[in-house]
Amino acid sequence: MGKEYIKGANPYMPLWEHVPDGEPRVFEYNGEKRVYVYGSHDTLKTEYCGCDQVVWSAPVDDLTDWTCHGVCYEAADKSVLFAPDVVQKGDTFYMYAAEAKGSRIMVATSKNPAGPFRNPVKTELGFDPGILVDDDGRVYAFWGFCKHYCAELNDDMATIKAGTLHEDTIRHCRAPWSPDDDGFGVEDSFFEASSPRKVHGKYVFIYSKRYTEPLPELGVHEDCNGFLSYKYSDSPLQGYKPGGDISFNGGEILRGADGTGTMTYRWGNNHGSIIEVNGQWYVFYHRQTGTDEFSRQAMLEPVEVAEDKQGHLFIGKITRGADGEPLSSGPVEMTSQGAHTDGLDARKIISAGYACHLFGGEKGGANGGAGGAYIKPVYEKSDSVSAPVTDISSGLTVGFRYLQFGSASPRTVSAWISAGADICVHVRADDYRGTVIASAQMRKGDTELHAPLSEPLTGKHAVYFEFLSESGGSIAEFDSFTFD
């Protein structure tokens, strides 16, 4: 029908790509500044990650336009590669590749940020290495799983400078994999995903925090490591002060009148970092698709960064006082739009795979409860491939935050839905229980829905598809939609 598919939304890579653990970096190469993302590569499908690393990049003035540069590193023994990091020192780029499922950290080099990275040398570092090249050229490394380590590196970029190794700079979480030692600390609760950065002259340590206490305002009532959190210091290897949470991959958080929250998307492990691009800060993180954690996808959101008069550093969604002074910060919302900050063009074809809200359904809760709806992973390398929401049961809502309708309201909505039963589909605006702007009946076996809008819609709005049926079990698979 001649329409374009949305690209560069959230996830920002194509829907067929599965790159979690993304460490973003701005590098200039051949006179062009681009954002490069280095992460694991979920290609094994039945376990974490894969046996190669790929590089994606986008121009700094358009974070919706991503290019794949292909494979940049493989282990000599073809072992599984966990989360890497890449830094630049001088004219050389250093990739810290986590071979053998993170048990062997190698450093390889290239003169091109896209690689290939060659001549690997074994380092003295451990799981999930994160590297900081400071303004004075000194290099610091951070690593660990359920126990944190950091140190300064020698000029070889591989070995630890004598006398600089620190242990439990960030206190670790209590988990089945944590050591039984005095390094435990519920305030820090370090889990994994070390990522050191420099922000406003301060050393910022970003990591995956594992909460073991309830967070009712976010709907967390179980041990949860879906967060990216931070601490900060005036010194690179010690003295880190409390920061907060930047990202949580539990989807849109529904707020109750009592202040409690409800997740709408199945959370899972998280890994990423923050970066400033053309004066705007972003957090790069990942979410889960499928029914496990083996088909994760790269996500990003704009974040705020501010410092108060006492030097406290705030990162995330910032609450300010009447005088504009930052008072607190919390996780930014998980959206469908990502770098499309004005909203996704509602008149393009939008895959259901961009949903940031799967809620309700037969069993209730995020993704319709255990065994409920999910975004089906796809691997066909096509610009028009769509990742459908499948195993939809009656009462499920599938939400997108946000769409842009422009100054003139569309007249109709079209959706590609495979009806496994007789169903009714309501399209709602602004809230999952909001105004119904379109509605249609579908018979079992139907594959397309076309309905007029009963209410005009202009500007930027969240949009929700509600699925209802007299039948139990799986009633539909939702592929994509558009407005006309």
Side-chain angles (χ1 to χ4, degrees):
M1 59 188 205
K3 283 199 171 197
E4 292 182 8
Y5 281 76
I6 282 286
K7 69 173 186 176
N10 236 5
Y12 55 87
M13 294 178 188
L15 288 164
W16 52 259
E17 183 62 289
H18 299 86
V19 174
D21 307 328
E23 292 283 347
R25 300 285 182 179
V26 174
F27 292 133
E28 184 170 350
Y29 182 71
N30 284 344
E32 182 186 15
K33 283 187 177 181
R34 297 180 69 86
V35 178
Y36 292 82
V37 172
Y38 307 89
S40 304
H41 199 195
D42 278 350
T43 57
L44 293 180
K45 301 181 183 179
T46 57
E47 59 179 291
Y48 291 118
C49 307
C51 298
D52 64 37
Q53 315 270 212
V54 293
V55 182
W56 287 78
S57 78
V60 292
D61 57 357
D62 187 0
L63 296 187
T64 71
D65 183 17
W66 290 86
T67 297
C68 182
H69 301 280
V71 174
C72 68
Y73 188 82
E74 295 176 289
D77 64 354
K78 304 299 182 183
S79 64
V80 174
L81 296 160
F82 277 10
D85 196 11
V86 174
V87 294
Q88 180 180 10
K89 188 174 182 184
D91 64 351
T92 303
F93 300 91
Y94 296 82
M95 167 169 270
Y96 289 80
E99 297 184 357
K101 298 185 177 180
S103 63
R104 182 175 65 238
I105 309 303
M106 311 294 287
V107 60
T109 56
S110 175
K111 298 297 183 181
N112 184 334
F117 293 88
R118 298 192 172 100
N119 306 314
V121 173
K122 190 175 182 181
T123 75
E124 295 179 347
L125 309 182
F127 192 86
D128 274 5
I131 312 299
L132 174 69
V133 178
D134 209 348
D135 304 330
D136 59 5
R138 296 169 74 176
V139 181
Y140 303 97
F142 296 69
W143 68 93
F145 176 67
C146 293
K147 189 171 180 66
H148 178 250
Y149 302 87
C150 59
E152 186 174 351
L153 298 185
N154 289 309
D155 291 341
D156 62 7
M157 303 288 282
T159 58
I160 294 170
K161 185 173 287 188
T164 68
L165 178 64
H166 289 68
E167 184 177 304
D168 292 326
T169 300
I170 307 295
R171 312 281 281 180
H172 64 68
C173 65
R174 181 168 284 143
W177 315 277
S178 303
D180 185 14
D181 61 13
D182 62 0
F184 166 74
V186 69
E187 182 180 88
D188 297 352
S189 289
F190 171 80
F191 185 63
E192 59 182 352
S194 295
S195 182
R197 297 291 167 128
K198 199 80 174 283
V199 180
H200 289 190
K202 296 181 185 296
Y203 299 91
V204 175
F205 179 65
I206 294 145
Y207 64 101
S208 169
K209 183 174 186 176
R210 184 178 177 88
Y211 276 98
T212 55
E213 297 182 349
L215 284 176
E217 67 273 19
L218 295 176
V220 175
H221 303 284
E222 60 183 339
D223 287 6
C224 179
N225 49 277
F227 292 85
L228 285 185
S229 305
Y230 76 100
K231 300 195 76 174
Y232 65 98
S233 176
D234 294 321
S235 175
L237 300 178
Q238 56 191 341
Y240 279 85
K241 303 171 186 175
D245 301 322
I246 305 170
S247 163
F248 177 46
N249 57 18
E252 180 191 2
I253 306 299
L254 305 178
R255 302 291 181 187
D258 60 355
T260 59
T262 301
M263 289 183 282
T264 62
Y265 195 91
R266 177 176 54 83
W267 71 268
N269 66 12
N270 207 344
H271 187 146
S273 197
I274 62 170
I275 195 167
E276 186 179 23
V277 184
N278 282 352
Q280 171 65 58
W281 285 92
Y282 296 87
V283 60
F284 286 65
Y285 64 107
H286 69 242
R287 70 167 186 182
Q288 329 302 313
T289 60
T291 58
D292 48 42
E293 293 189 340
F294 309 142
S295 50
R296 298 162 292 177
Q297 293 182 312
M299 306 277 282
L300 68 83
E301 312 288 355
V303 299
E304 298 175 89
V305 174
E307 192 175 351
D308 69 12
K309 294 172 183 176
Q310 288 73 45
H312 186 102
L313 190 64
F314 299 90
I315 304 173
K317 182 179 180 180
I318 295 178
T319 300
R320 298 177 183 270
D323 59 355
E325 186 79 352
L327 300 176
S328 64
S329 63
V332 293
E333 71 173 324
M334 177 171 153
T335 72
S336 307
Q337 66 185 19
H340 288 270
T341 53
D342 288 332
L344 304 178
D345 186 343
R347 288 168 174 80
K348 291 186 178 181
I349 299 175
I350 300 172
S351 172
Y354 292 121
C356 62
H357 166 121
L358 301 176
F359 182 70
E362 198 168 77
K363 301 174 184 178
N367 292 54
Y374 61 95
I375 294 171
K376 183 186 293 185
V378 293
Y379 299 93
E380 177 192 345
K381 296 182 180 181
S382 166
D383 289 340
S384 59
V385 70
S386 177
V389 174
T390 194
D391 277 5
I392 294 170
S393 60
S394 183
L396 190 84
T397 47
V398 182
F400 305 84
R401 299 170 69 85
Y402 296 90
L403 272 57
Q404 177 57 248
F405 291 87
S407 57
S409 176
R411 296 182 179 180
T412 61
V413 59
S414 298
W416 288 266
I417 297 166
S418 296
D422 293 348
I423 62 174
C424 174
V425 181
H426 295 313
V427 185
R428 297 179 181 270
D430 299 323
D431 186 273
Y432 79 110
R433 294 173 300 189
T435 301
V436 175
I437 59 169
S439 187
Q441 302 288 331
M442 298 184 71
R443 305 291 293 178
K444 181 178 180 179
D446 288 350
T447 57
E448 292 187 20
L449 174 153
H450 303 282
L453 264 61
S454 57
E455 300 283 343
L457 215 56
T458 59
K460 184 176 177 179
H461 296 271
V463 169
Y464 301 82
F465 288 76
E466 180 184 26
F467 294 82
L468 300 170
S469 178
E470 296 293 327
S471 300
S474 178
I475 61 170
E477 181 171 284
F478 180 19
D479 183 83
S480 53
F481 67 99
T482 189
F483 287 83
D484 291 295

